[in-house]
Amino acid sequence: MYAYFIDDWVYNNHHRKLDRLDLVLTQKGIQGRKIKLSRLHDLGGSIKDCLSSGIKTFVAVGSDTTTSRVLNSMLKDNNFSFSFACVPIDEPRAIARVFGYGSMLEAVDALAVHRTSKIDIGLLNKRHYFVTAAVFPKKCSLGFKSYSISSLYRDHHISVCNSNIYMNHTTDYARNFDITDGVFEAVIARRPQVSFFDKMRGKGNDSVYIPETIFPVKSIIIKSKDKTLSVFADAEKQLTSPIKVDILPQMLEVIIGKDFYGSKQH
Amino acid sequence: MFDSKDKEAVGGFEMREEDAETIIGASVKVDGDFVSEGNVLVQGIVNGSLKTKGNLRVDEGAKIKANVDATNAQVSGEIQGNITVKDSLDLGSSAKVAGDIITKILSIEPGAVLNGHCSVSAMSEESEGNDQPSEIQKPNQKNKKSVLDENLD
């Protein structure tokens, strides 16, 4: 049986999509319990309720923020086994893309097929879980056991990636980003320099970051002079510096779609 | 001068960019003792020491102030420090090395700068225990004279 955690704003802004989702789920025969997530909703209590009813597949319906919220609540008491999935309704939907489905209908198809794989999960300061990547402010530096890495330029982008968040730029290193390999990639990306005249013409202002430095890591410490850092890990989080990032290999069982990329599929 | 196939035939090696597991980009500085298990590509600055069990490629523009340890190495940048390479070391035409080199196979392209001692020993596994250097062969005096005579004629 399935439990669908539907975000509040989906009811308010996307009721037609929600009706369509309801219809498709009924057609596929994968209906389940629907839980509306309001801001002050007791998510832990709802999860315990579902577990006591024998539900083992949990689905977050909304965006990456919804998925991150549900996932963090579930993994806090991780002494039970469950399958996890998400249904993307609106942007950002990076987690859904990592799971192998970019749209609502593709996600429903994947739920019906119920093909699963175990993926790595990231952990920030032993408290916050993430799937895709943790993106840090520019002032930070990367610290390892015996060495540290700092950028020589100001306009850079520091991230610890579980999956490839630089998909818009096809690099030769794309194969390094494997969500099932038990290793993170610490990445420093840079924007290509734009000439003054190109800037005046409005070109290059929105140019993408290109990954330039890649380090495979299992554990890393991010240091900064600021005490509180705003980190984007699936959703925005405020964390105290230094931030320790750990990997939990093959921790989460997810329902995967046809576009899922992982070297270890079950 | 050589294409990649010829390089492999003479004992050199070529590391492609996509083979690298760790990439130290041109905009990055690494301080400390860097240790890696896989192939490393250096395009930026490294201070301290650099050790890898895999292959190493140092691109043009890279600056390393460190002792370097690798299985194979292909150098086109600057290295200030001793280099120990287990198998093959290639110094490209833009390479600048200030330090001692210990390797099994060494190839140097014209234009490369090297300040330091070189120890190149293509030892087989059987004779690895023998640390004695081979006897230095002096030029034959007779042959030398005859060559000079020929040149004078």
Side-chain angles (χ1 to χ4, degrees):
Chain A
M1 208 174 149
Y2 295 78
Y4 296 92
F5 292 89
I6 305 166
D7 216 329
D8 208 6
W9 55 265
V10 178
Y11 281 99
N12 300 333
N13 307 336
H14 300 274
H15 50 88
R16 279 192 180 175
K17 272 189 183 178
L18 204 57
D19 288 345
R20 175 119 175 86
L21 177 68
D22 214 10
L23 179 72
V24 180
L25 291 176
T26 314
Q27 283 171 347
K28 301 261 180 191
I30 46 172
Q31 287 163 297
R33 189 180 291 183
K34 284 172 197 147
I35 299 139
K36 188 179 176 180
L37 288 182
S38 60
R39 209 165 265 260
L40 300 171
H41 186 86
D42 177 21
L43 201 47
S46 298
I47 291 165
K48 275 178 192 165
D49 237 25
C50 292
L51 286 166
S52 58
S53 313
I55 295 171
K56 286 198 170 177
T57 305
F58 294 82
V59 185
V61 182
S63 65
D64 280 354
T65 317
T66 321
T67 311
S68 175
R69 191 180 158 197
V70 175
L71 192 64
N72 271 282
S73 292
M74 300 206 63
L75 291 172
K76 268 175 193 166
D77 306 312
N78 59 355
N79 46 5
F80 52 86
S81 65
F82 65 92
S83 298
F84 187 75
C86 63
V87 176
I89 299 291
D90 204 356
E91 295 289 340
R93 55 180 77 183
I95 299 175
R97 286 197 192 100
V98 167
F99 291 172
Y101 27 85
S103 68
M104 184 182 85
L105 294 176
E106 281 177 17
V108 174
D109 285 342
L111 279 169
V113 175
H114 210 283
R115 195 161 63 98
T116 61
S117 178
K118 284 196 171 178
I119 63 162
D120 307 330
I121 288 288
L123 183 59
L124 295 164
N125 279 353
K126 297 186 177 178
R127 261 186 82 191
H128 304 276
Y129 298 89
F130 66 91
V131 177
T132 55
V135 181
F136 296 92
K138 290 176 183 178
K139 289 175 189 171
C140 299
S141 67
L142 305 173
F144 293 86
K145 274 180 190 171
S146 58
Y147 59 96
S148 65
I149 304 164
S150 50
S151 179
L152 300 169
Y153 300 95
R154 279 184 187 173
D155 193 13
H156 62 269
H157 188 266
I158 296 175
S159 60
V160 178
C161 301
N162 195 18
S163 67
N164 190 3
I165 58 166
Y166 301 97
M167 275 179 184
N168 46 9
H169 181 75
T170 49
T171 60
D172 294 331
Y173 330 121
R175 62 176 184 83
N176 290 1
F177 298 94
D178 187 345
I179 201 161
T180 57
D181 62 354
V183 180
F184 277 143
E185 277 73 36
V187 178
I188 297 178
R190 250 190 89 199
R191 261 193 238 192
Q193 283 189 335
V194 183
S195 70
F196 175 75
F197 293 106
D198 280 345
K199 268 186 190 171
M200 291 296 286
R201 283 183 214 136
K203 286 181 186 174
N205 291 334
D206 53 347
S207 61
V208 290
Y209 283 94
I210 299 167
E212 204 182 61
T213 300
I214 301 173
F215 284 79
V217 289
K218 284 186 178 174
S219 177
I220 187 171
I221 293 166
I222 311 291
K223 294 169 189 167
S224 173
K225 284 175 186 172
D226 298 337
K227 204 172 180 187
T228 312
L229 294 177
S230 175
V231 181
F232 193 88
D234 296 338
E236 196 164 352
K237 293 173 169 86
Q238 300 291 327
L239 301 169
T240 43
S241 173
I243 300 167
K244 192 166 188 259
V245 189
D246 291 303
I247 192 159
L248 305 169
Q250 312 269 309
M251 166 84 177
L252 180 67
E253 189 178 287
V254 292
I255 294 170
I256 55 171
K258 58 181 170 57
D259 297 330
F260 177 78
Y261 172 74
S263 59
K264 292 169 192 169
Q265 288 184 34
H266 299 273
Chain B
M1 200 170 159
F2 293 110
D3 63 7
S4 59
K5 278 184 183 175
D6 291 335
K7 263 193 170 181
E8 276 169 22
V10 295
F13 95 105
E14 196 158 341
M15 196 177 106
R16 288 173 301 168
E17 210 157 304
E18 59 263 33
D19 294 335
E21 284 164 32
T22 304
I23 301 158
I24 300 170
S27 63
V28 158
K29 188 175 145 189
V30 176
D31 291 298
D33 301 325
F34 176 80
V35 185
S36 173
E37 299 275 315
N39 298 339
V40 180
L41 168 63
V42 183
Q43 295 169 329
I45 299 169
V46 180
N47 293 328
S49 74
L50 198 160
K51 264 187 189 182
T52 176
K53 285 180 183 171
N55 302 328
L56 171 73
R57 191 175 117 185
V58 183
D59 276 0
E60 198 174 343
K63 286 179 184 176
I64 299 176
K65 280 186 184 176
N67 291 336
V68 174
D69 225 315
T71 305
N72 289 294
Q74 192 183 342
V75 180
S76 302
E78 286 181 39
I79 299 180
Q80 283 182 39
N82 300 332
I83 304 172
T84 309
V85 174
K86 208 176 166 189
D87 288 333
S88 164
L89 171 64
D90 287 8
L91 297 184
S93 56
S94 56
K96 287 178 185 173
V97 176
D100 298 344
I101 291 172
I102 300 170
T103 184
K104 202 170 172 183
I105 302 161
L106 174 66
S107 69
I108 305 175
E109 272 186 31
V113 179
L114 171 60
N115 286 315
H117 298 287
C118 257
S119 170
V120 182
S121 52
M123 287 187 296
S124 64
E125 282 182 11
E126 291 167 8
S127 61
E128 251 177 17
N130 185 9
D131 290 337
Q132 291 292 324
S134 59
E135 208 169 282
I136 297 164
Q137 290 180 347
K138 288 179 182 174
N140 195 341
Q141 292 297 321
K142 277 182 186 175
N143 287 345
K144 210 176 183 182
K145 269 184 184 177
S146 63
V147 170
L148 279 170
D149 292 340
E150 275 174 19
N151 285 342
L152 285 168
D153 292 338

